[in-house]
């Protein structure tokens, strides 16, 4: 179909993007059907060129200023401003976006990167944002909370006892270092399954739901981060896939990789640019390289719909920018949400 930039619906209110509220589903469903008729928007199944928006972790926990891990960026309003632009991008390009795949960072309390998992010699838990190094684990400055042995287990491996968990964490922190990953960081409890922080930002949820109804395109959610024994920044794979004795504890999301590569173009946005977005891009490039490096050119990064972590004196902006430069050098297109989509390089609608 011919590209047709659409207006933004009157109900969209940019001033509410940084707030929690209930999406009026039934009303938006009716409006979406009327919108599709008014603007002659066909169902997504009719798309000749198939575009997928991969919306990474656009959840309250990362995107609202009063929540646990607000991605402020250097502006201080990073994720809020990103989501205003992203909502407008979805509405304006509703007629050519075939599918939207939001990822959901999903956690429970007793995971390797949460305070309760660790104790020091005095039995105290580490404060949020504590970095736990391999050297500290080796000298037992931080060790596994003994209560974890009976609290978590892996379906493949059975119940974990304390000695096994100690072996795993030593292996884990060394594997992070060897793999060039970020060191183990103790994060505040965040994206808690069943909690309000886990939910999509209301304004983005509304835009995604409106797209689903107007295009007759089922929103495809991807859950990540539930494994208690590894971090999971990238939606495509956890940070560490095995335990100290070589047994698998997690797997790559091969099905999602194949699904994304089946589209003519994949548009990537979300939070945080320095962590979950950066690692997802790196993993996607690593998966594409042995197949066909020319496929890099079907990837588009919305640089104005993502921000880096800048918090507590730590600024990941430069690392985030470096990840985007690596992608651009490999052939990935870095674009802006306000650029006309039919003028994006390599995209023929």
């Amino acid at each position: 179909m011919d590209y047709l930039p659409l207006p933004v619906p009157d109900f969209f209110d940019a001033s509410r993007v940084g707030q929690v509220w209930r999406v009026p589903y039934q009303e938006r469903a009716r409006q979406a059907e009327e919108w599709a008729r008014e603007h002659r928007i066909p169902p997504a199944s009719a798309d000749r060129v198939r575009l997928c928006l991969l919306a990474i972790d656009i959840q309250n926990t990362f995107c609202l200023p009063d929540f646990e891990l607000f991605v402020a960026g250097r502006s201080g309003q990073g994720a809020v401003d990103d989501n205003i632009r992203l909502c407008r991008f979805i509405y304006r390009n509703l007629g050519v976006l075939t599918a939207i795949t939001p990822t959901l960072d999903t956690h429970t309390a007793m995971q390797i990167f949460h305070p309760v998992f660790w104790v020091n010699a005095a039995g105290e838990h580490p404060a949020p944002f504590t970095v736990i190094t391999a050297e500290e684990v080796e000298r037992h400055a931080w060790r596994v909370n003994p209560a974890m042995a009976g609290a978590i287990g892996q379906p493949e491996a059975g119940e974990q006892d304390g000695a096994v968990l100690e072996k795993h964490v030593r292996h884990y922190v060394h594997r992070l270092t060897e793999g060039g990953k970020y060191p183990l960081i103790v994060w505040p409890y965040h994206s808690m399954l069943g909690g309000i922080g886990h939910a999509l930002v209301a304004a983005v949820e509304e835009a995604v739901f409106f797209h689903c109804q107007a295009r007759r395109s089922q929103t495809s959610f991807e859950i990540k981060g539930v494994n208690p024994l590894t971090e999971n920044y990238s939606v495509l794979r956890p940070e560490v896939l095995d335990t100290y004795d070589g047994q698998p504890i997690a797997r790559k999301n091969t099905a999602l990789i194949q699904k994304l590569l089946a589209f003519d173009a994949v548009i990537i946005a979300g939070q945080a640019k320095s962590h979950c977005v950066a690692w997802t891009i790196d993993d996607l490039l690593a998966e594409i390289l042995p197949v066909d490096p020319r496929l890099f050119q079907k990837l588009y990064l919305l640089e104005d719909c993502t921000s880096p972590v800048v918090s507590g004196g730590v600024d990941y902006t430069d690392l985030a920018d470096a990840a985007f430069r690596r992608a651009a050098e490999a052939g990935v297109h870095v674009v802006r949400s306000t650029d006309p989509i039919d003028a994006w390089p390599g995209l023929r609608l």
Side-chain angles (χ1 to χ4, degrees), residues 22-101:
R22 183 186 65 82
V23 175
Y25 300 116
Q26 199 63 38
E27 182 180 359
R28 293 293 176 265
R30 175 184 57 77
Q31 291 170 317
E33 291 193 8
E34 293 173 354
W35 197 255
R37 285 194 295 271
E38 177 183 352
H39 295 283
R40 299 181 179 179
I41 301 170
S45 59
D47 287 356
R48 177 179 56 84
V49 179
R50 300 178 67 250
L51 312 183
C52 177
L53 172 63
L54 180 63
I56 298 175
D57 298 0
I58 306 177
Q59 299 162 265
N60 292 330
T61 202
F62 302 115
C63 296
L64 270 57
D66 293 336
F67 278 70
E68 300 86 2
L69 284 174
F70 175 57
V71 180
R74 286 180 175 171
S75 72
Q77 285 293 308
V80 174
D81 292 340
D82 294 338
N83 289 336
I84 291 172
R85 290 185 284 265
L86 182 61
C87 287
R88 288 174 174 155
F89 173 81
I90 292 171
Y91 290 126
R92 287 170 177 159
N93 297 288
L94 196 77
V96 294
L97 287 176
T98 308
I100 300 180
T101 297

Side-chain angles (χ1 to χ4, degrees), residues 236-237 252-254 257 261 281-292 295-296:
L236 301 179
R237 55 166 288 166
K252 292 189 295 185
N253 193 341
T254 303
I257 295 168
L261 292 182
I281 294 168
D282 280 351
D283 284 346
L284 195 52
L285 296 183
E287 293 296 327
I288 290 175
L289 184 60
V291 177
D292 185 349
L295 295 176
F296 292 162

Side-chain angles (χ1 to χ4, degrees), residues 148-154 157-165 168 229 243-244:
M148 291 299 99
I152 63 174
Q154 290 293 90
E159 283 296 307
Q160 307 292 316
D161 61 32
V164 170
L165 281 178
H168 173 70
L229 297 181
T243 188
Y244 69 96

Side-chain angles (χ1 to χ4, degrees), residues 284-339:
L284 195 52
L285 296 183
E287 293 296 327
I288 290 175
L289 184 60
V291 177
D292 185 349
R294 290 174 297 182
L295 295 176
F296 292 162
Q297 297 179 23
K298 69 163 59 179
L299 304 181
Y300 295 81
L301 310 182
L302 290 182
E303 66 173 346
D304 60 340
C305 294
T306 183
S307 292
V309 171
V310 179
S311 176
V314 177
D315 186 339
Y316 285 93
T317 302
D318 292 341
L319 288 173
D321 290 344
F324 270 48
R325 283 196 300 273
R326 288 194 303 273
E329 290 166 0
V332 176
H333 305 290
V334 180
V335 296
R336 299 183 66 82
S337 65
T338 51
D339 297 336

